[in-house]
Amino acid sequence: MRIAICDDVPECVRNLERCLVPLLEPGDVCESHVDGKTLISAHRNQPYDLVFLDVEMPGLNGIELGIPLRGIYQHTRIVYVTRHRDFAVEAFALRAAHYLVKPIKVSDLVDIVAEARAFYRSRIRGYLQIGWMQSRTFVDLDD
């Protein structure tokens, strides 16, 4: 399973990485990004199954990032992570899988990672990559 963390605060990234480590299985990939542009670029090359997005970031915020993430691969499970409860309505409008308020603990992530893994295994990553110039999208072969 491919997992991404996107947060502009390095301490928050490290905390989330520490919390995820005990939940990872062999073959899982967990990558960190400090801005939305690098996340989108990596997601275009090989989509993530689970993405933890900080809501408040300079440039593209987490809510704005949800739209292109969905456009590239609609089955990516997005978990919004923030210090504020104010953005929950917007997050769930983008079909967020979860909405967590910082600080994050391992116990917060157990069910989230298990749900994402079950969903991932049910789909077993069969997709067709369609691209033109700098743009790519991924279409599930099951769709």
Side-chain angles (χ1 to χ4, degrees):
M1 184 167 71
R2 289 183 45 76
I3 302 169
I5 300 168
C6 187
D7 197 315
D8 61 316
V9 180
E11 302 84 49
C12 293
V13 171
R14 284 192 295 275
N15 179 57
L16 196 45
E17 288 172 337
R18 276 192 301 273
C19 290
L20 282 169
V21 164
L23 305 175
L24 298 178
E25 292 183 357
D28 286 347
V29 173
C30 184
E31 299 175 344
S32 299
H33 304 275
V34 294
D35 63 69
K37 289 183 181 182
T38 60
L39 172 67
I40 293 296
S41 177
H43 189 62
R44 275 194 182 109
N45 288 328
Q46 191 172 4
Y48 293 107
D49 301 295
L50 177 61
V51 176
F52 292 91
L53 278 180
D54 182 23
V55 173
E56 294 184 298
M57 295 186 291
L60 289 173
N61 70 38
I63 301 296
E64 294 166 331
L65 279 170
I67 297 165
L69 286 173
R70 287 269 179 252
I72 294 166
Y73 186 62
Q74 68 177 341
H75 299 296
T76 296
R77 298 180 65 80
I78 299 172
V79 177
Y80 286 98
V81 181
T82 184
R83 294 188 190 282
H84 309 284
R85 300 178 192 280
D86 305 342
F87 302 100
V89 172
E90 293 92 337
F92 286 110
L94 292 170
R95 296 182 301 134
H98 293 276
Y99 189 91
L100 299 175
V101 178
K102 296 176 184 177
I104 306 301
K105 303 177 296 294
V106 175
S107 60
D108 296 330
L109 302 179
V110 171
D111 290 340
I112 292 170
V113 172
E115 288 170 12
R117 190 173 308 288
F119 184 76
Y120 167 76
R121 287 182 175 149
S122 75
R123 300 200 59 85
I124 304 296
R125 297 300 288 241
Y127 56 80
L128 172 66
Q129 179 179 336
I130 301 170
W132 173 254
M133 299 181 73
Q134 298 296 330
S135 180
R136 288 188 203 165
T137 192
F138 294 82
V139 178
D140 276 305
L141 296 178
D142 296 337
D143 289 346

